[in-house]
Amino acid sequence: MPIAIAIDGPAGAGKSTIAKLAAKQLNFIYVDTGALYRTVGLAATKNNVEPKTSEEIDELLRKIKVELTFNDKNEQIVLLDGEDVSSQIRTPEASMMASAISAVPAVRAYLLDLQRNIAKTNNVIMDGRDIGTVVLPNAQIKIFLSADPEERAKRRYDELIEKGMKVKYEDILADVIERDYNDSHREIAPLKPAEDSIMVNTTGNTLKQSVELLIEIMKENM
Ligand code: DC
């Protein structure tokens, strides 16, 4: 049976960067499930659908095709109706839309099998908000990764500035706090640690320290 490692936690805790590097070292496939919610969010934006109008969301989900593939370097690529949208989904607007759309039950149901199917046939490190609690409740290892909001905002700010985007730290911090609130207060699959999660706080760690810590935890528990 393939091995599944679930990594959940709030936005900007470094989940994706850390999980990606750990997956490379362990030769696992890294799955970023946030990208799927961002893709549905992008589809909603493109089709002028408000996340609150459930009939329109249902219709949208019937119409679109979201696919997850991997390139020859095992990097994840998300396709919306056949188009690679992996870069388009990385803007602050797409983040907010993803957060809103991820609270819609039909969207979560729509993406569930897609996520589970990948773990059926591959050793995966899957990152998200509800991987240990809902998507892969039988994952062999569950890690809940967090860091203080200010540090998470600073990391995201640096990332976006490096990409050449014009953003303000205060706006990013406000986004982080708002998204934390939305993600942990929604009724369906809220962000919370699974009972059997290993809690890891990366505040003050370098990336290298966090990756080493995670690999150590994974190897100990595998
Ligand atoms: O990890 P991210 O920032 O790319 O996630 C984008 C949004 O999607 C985030 O607001 C929470 C939501 N999400 C979710 O609800 N469940 C997941 N498994 C992954 C992401």
Side-chain angles (χ1 to χ4, degrees):
M1 205 175 73
I3 300 172
I5 299 176
I7 303 192
D8 291 302
K15 293 191 304 291
S16 59
T17 316
I18 297 168
K20 212 181 279 175
L21 290 169
K24 212 172 216 165
Q25 287 203 31
L26 296 172
N27 208 14
F28 277 30
I29 281 187
Y30 163 66
V31 184
D32 163 16
T33 61
L36 300 172
Y37 291 92
R38 288 167 179 266
T39 302
V40 177
L42 181 71
T45 306
K46 285 189 170 180
N47 288 274
N48 290 321
V49 170
E50 289 285 331
K52 291 215 162 61
T53 48
S54 58
E55 297 91 57
E56 283 184 30
I57 294 272
D58 287 346
E59 198 189 318
L60 180 75
L61 294 175
R62 274 197 296 274
K63 205 165 73 177
I64 61 171
K65 190 168 181 203
V66 177
E67 290 165 286
L68 199 54
T69 61
F70 297 88
N71 66 16
D72 49 9
K73 290 189 199 132
N74 258 355
E75 290 161 347
Q76 172 178 311
I77 291 169
V78 265
L79 303 176
L80 173 59
D81 299 326
E83 182 194 354
D84 179 357
V85 294
S86 308
S87 311
Q88 274 184 65
I89 56 173
R90 296 290 155 201
T91 62
E93 294 74 34
S95 292
M96 281 327 258
M97 193 60 174
S99 179
I101 210 101
S102 68
V104 180
V107 173
R108 304 204 73 84
Y110 175 82
L111 295 175
L112 196 55
D113 284 347
L114 194 61
Q115 298 170 81
R116 285 185 176 156
N117 284 340
I118 300 163
K120 273 187 196 154
T121 46
N122 300 284
N123 289 333
V124 293
I125 297 188
M126 192 174 283
D127 105 38
R129 304 294 189 286
D130 61 337
I131 309 305
T133 50
V134 178
V135 180
L136 304 174
N138 296 322
Q140 286 85 342
I141 303 173
K142 298 179 186 177
I143 294 169
F144 195 85
L145 199 70
S146 194
D148 296 347
E150 292 74 16
E151 176 148 337
R152 290 188 279 125
K154 176 71 171 58
R155 289 180 194 164
R156 185 124 309 185
Y157 172 80
D158 290 344
E159 239 172 69
L160 294 172
I161 290 289
E162 200 175 308
K163 282 186 190 155
M165 292 186 188
K166 282 206 172 94
V167 287
K168 283 201 205 121
Y169 169 77
E170 291 70 28
D171 294 344
I172 303 283
L173 179 61
D175 276 7
V176 164
I177 292 170
E178 188 180 339
R179 279 220 286 160
D180 278 2
Y181 186 87
N182 289 346
D183 294 348
S184 53
H185 285 78
R186 65 175 174 232
E187 274 181 34
I188 178 167
L191 170 67
K192 64 162 193 229
E195 275 179 17
D196 47 351
S197 279
I198 300 165
M199 305 295 286
V200 178
N201 189 312
T202 64
T203 306
N205 282 5
T206 62
L207 179 61
K208 191 163 173 271
Q209 285 170 330
S210 295
V211 174
E212 281 171 4
L213 177 64
L214 249 74
I215 294 203
E216 207 177 289
I217 294 174
M218 289 168 189
K219 287 194 170 153
E220 257 171 32
N221 289 279
M222 239 170 337

